[in-house]
Amino acid sequence: MRLTPGPAHGIDLEAVNLFDLDLYSSGDPHRIWDVMRAKAPLHHQVLPDGREFWSVTRYEDVHRVLAGHREFTSERGTVPTHLGTDDAAAGVLMTSTDPPRHTEVRRPLGSRLTARAVRSWEDGIRATVARFLEPALDGEVFDLAERALLLPAMVTGPLLGIPEKDWAELVQLTAMVTAPTDPHFMVGHEAATLAISHHELVTYVREWVKARRASGEEDDSLLHHLMSVRPGGEPLSDEEIALDGYSILLGANVTTPHTVSGTVEALIERPAQYAKAAADPSLVPGLVEEGLRWTSAACNFMRYAVDDVEIAGGTIPAGGAVVAWIGSANRDETLFPAPHTFDITRAGAKRQAAFGFGTHFCIGAPLARMTLRIFFEELLRRFESVELAGEPQHLRSYFIAGMTHLPIVARKRRTP
Ligand code: HEM
């Protein structure tokens, strides 16, 4: 989707289809969300097949929906591509549980992913980023979006304990889960793409655990850690470990690359901001927060209303699905003045909603923030300028806001 919106134009909210994939691959959803925030902060849509959902677009409502498990449950699934079909992993997969079960499932992983815990990986991640940027040779065309798909696997692969030979396949499978109708990833049709990718990913982690148990091998990886923890005195079952591993693979692989590409695109369009960040590396953490706000790679998450809920001037009936549009919350003018301006020195950028809120707040946020900070430190240090070398191509997904192609040319600094 366009991250810098085009001119505002008349929008008929009655006719808007928020699940129209063309809107995201070639359209301009930000102009629609602007009108929704102003005129219909609670919006209802019925799809041609009869499925229906409500949408909230203001920051405060997105916060309330994502953070409030007593009003809005995660147990029936949280990904809008599954609207209307209850999540098969409900009550087991971390993302599809409510407290108190959620707290038990999340705790063993959380302790390994805090800001303090991930700091010890900084040198390793910097070496990985250097390796990642190596092919961006001086003056040659480099498809950043395509290559960035591999970056999270390069970072989290070793942390999870997944060998390099499997990264490309896992990246492909996670992309299939999140953009099942994008021509780059679709196999046959949407439902088949979702079923195959989900099955293969869970099977991959299950087999990994089985092989590890058989060999008795031990290491410091996250998956191995999950095999040894005993929340509530009981070890996790292989199924639970497989689903946690699946959550991490998905969470990491499908978001960070698009934050990288979208933020680089914003800098290409605004060379003065690139130069400013390059001249003062202390601005990089602010650049990262603004990049997270700007790109909102996880464009939304879904919940179901537990009872009738009054929100945003209307009512969501008990059992109704509600999509909380993070991409819109991050352009809410009441929190972010001049929201469609990309400004690496924006005050209050840290309140961005890209990682969600409350109990399900992204468990990988410290790792994502550190990876992005290192990525931009290394990019700005190495390259004097980055330019566009072709048309960017956007992901065909209403769930993940991203790019499939971003051809760029980077020019190396003469004096490092
Ligand atoms: C820029 C990068 C990232 C963005 C924008 C992002 C976004 C999000 C958001 C919005 C949620 C909340 C979901 C909800 O409310 O239902 C979430 C949860 C989650 N994220 Fe991330 N994420 C990123 C990176 C990562 C990384 C690097 C990992 C893995 C290390 C990860 C793993 C997860 C997991 C496992 C959850 C589920 C947490 C729970 O249900 O308690 N994410 N992420």
Side-chain angles (χ1 to χ4, degrees):
M1 85 172 75
R2 294 179 67 131
L3 295 176
T4 303
H9 53 92
I11 284 162
D12 174 7
L13 287 182
E14 293 294 313
V16 157
N17 175 7
L18 292 166
F19 278 13
D20 173 9
L21 292 163
D22 291 342
L23 183 60
Y24 303 89
S25 54
S26 53
D28 196 2
H30 276 296
R31 285 302 176 205
I32 297 176
W33 296 331
D34 287 349
V35 180
M36 287 172 70
R37 283 195 306 278
K39 297 193 176 150
L42 182 65
H43 179 267
H44 177 230
Q45 186 183 330
V46 182
L47 293 167
D49 60 12
R51 289 178 304 157
E52 59 180 338
F53 64 95
W54 281 257
S55 287
V56 292
T57 39
R58 289 183 181 166
Y59 185 95
E60 63 177 302
D61 299 324
V62 167
H63 181 284
R64 182 170 158 196
V65 168
L66 293 183
H69 67 92
R70 287 193 180 82
E71 287 184 310
F72 300 102
T73 177
S74 292
E75 299 256 342
R76 290 177 56 194
T78 60
V79 174
T81 36
H82 291 144
L83 172 68
T85 36
D86 282 358
D87 195 328
V92 188
L93 185 64
M94 178 173 20
T95 52
S96 311
T97 45
D98 292 334
R101 168 78 187 152
H102 171 263
T103 319
E104 272 173 37
V105 180
R106 179 165 166 139
R107 196 177 294 132
L109 266 183
S111 62
R112 295 291 298 265
L113 289 168
T114 60
R116 181 195 286 252
V118 301
R119 219 168 288 144
S120 63
W121 299 331
E122 172 146 4
D123 292 347
I125 293 176
R126 197 173 292 280
T128 301
V129 167
R131 196 149 64 93
F132 173 85
L133 286 171
E134 209 49 54
L137 293 174
D138 203 10
E140 280 182 29
V141 177
F142 175 79
D143 192 332
L144 181 69
E146 201 175 80
R147 183 147 167 85
L149 291 179
L150 205 60
L151 180 64
M154 292 170 80
V155 171
T156 49
L159 309 180
L160 278 165
I162 291 175
E164 187 166 349
K165 67 175 178 46
D166 298 337
W167 293 350
E169 187 196 345
L170 293 175
V171 166
Q172 178 73 12
L173 290 170
T174 46
M176 283 163 67
V177 172
T178 47
T181 55
D182 189 287
H184 293 83
F185 310 118
M186 184 158 64
V187 178
H189 54 88
E190 181 179 4
T193 310
L194 277 174
I196 294 169
S197 48
H198 177 87
H199 174 78
E200 300 265 314
L201 279 168
V202 175
T203 306
Y204 179 90
V205 187
R206 205 184 287 127
E207 292 297 316
W208 188 101
V209 173
K210 213 161 105 191
R212 230 5 115 86
R213 284 205 202 287
S215 72
E217 219 180 299
E218 291 196 8
D219 64 26
D220 196 30
S221 70
L222 268 178
L223 285 180
H224 199 92
H225 170 68
L226 284 178
M227 288 169 63
S228 61
V229 295
R230 306 175 78 85
E234 290 296 316
L236 295 175
S237 69
D238 284 8
E239 193 60 18
E240 286 168 325
I241 298 171
L243 289 170
D244 277 351
Y246 168 83
S247 297
I248 298 176
L249 279 171
L250 209 61
N253 279 2
V254 303
T255 47
T256 320
H258 302 301
T259 311
V260 164
S261 312
T263 306
V264 169
E265 185 198 37
L267 289 172
I268 290 174
E269 289 168 352
R270 297 160 186 83
Q273 301 249 335
Y274 187 96
K276 202 170 179 176
D280 181 0
S282 74
L283 296 177
V284 171
L287 161 65
V288 167
E289 295 306 315
E290 183 67 342
L292 285 160
R293 183 189 77 86
W294 187 253
T295 52
S296 301
C299 184
N300 52 49
F301 270 98
M302 189 175 68
R303 301 286 191 266
Y304 286 87
V306 175
D307 294 309
D308 288 1
V309 184
E310 301 285 319
I311 187 168
T315 307
I316 302 172
V322 53
V323 178
W325 293 89
I326 293 173
S328 172
N330 269 335
R331 303 288 177 104
D332 187 330
E333 35 290 279
T334 58
L335 256 103
F336 307 109
H340 300 308
T341 301
F342 180 87
D343 176 4
I344 64 167
T345 57
R346 175 181 290 279
K350 234 184 156 184
R351 295 190 69 188
Q352 51 78 15
F355 293 125
F357 298 104
T359 44
H360 290 277
F361 179 82
C362 178
I363 201 170
L367 179 61
R369 280 194 163 113
M370 187 168 82
T371 306
L372 291 166
R373 173 176 57 76
I374 295 171
F375 175 86
F376 284 103
E377 282 169 358
E378 293 301 314
L379 181 85
L380 293 160
R381 195 169 64 79
R382 268 156 224 263
F383 299 105
E384 189 152 38
S385 67
V386 181
E387 288 156 33
L388 212 55
E391 267 306 293
Q393 214 170 313
H394 298 277
L395 192 66
R396 214 173 143 67
S397 165
Y398 49 76
F399 171 44
I400 297 295
M403 280 181 211
T404 45
H405 295 292
L406 182 69
I408 61 166
V409 169
R411 305 212 180 270
K412 279 205 169 125
R413 291 191 186 284
R414 297 294 157 224
T415 44

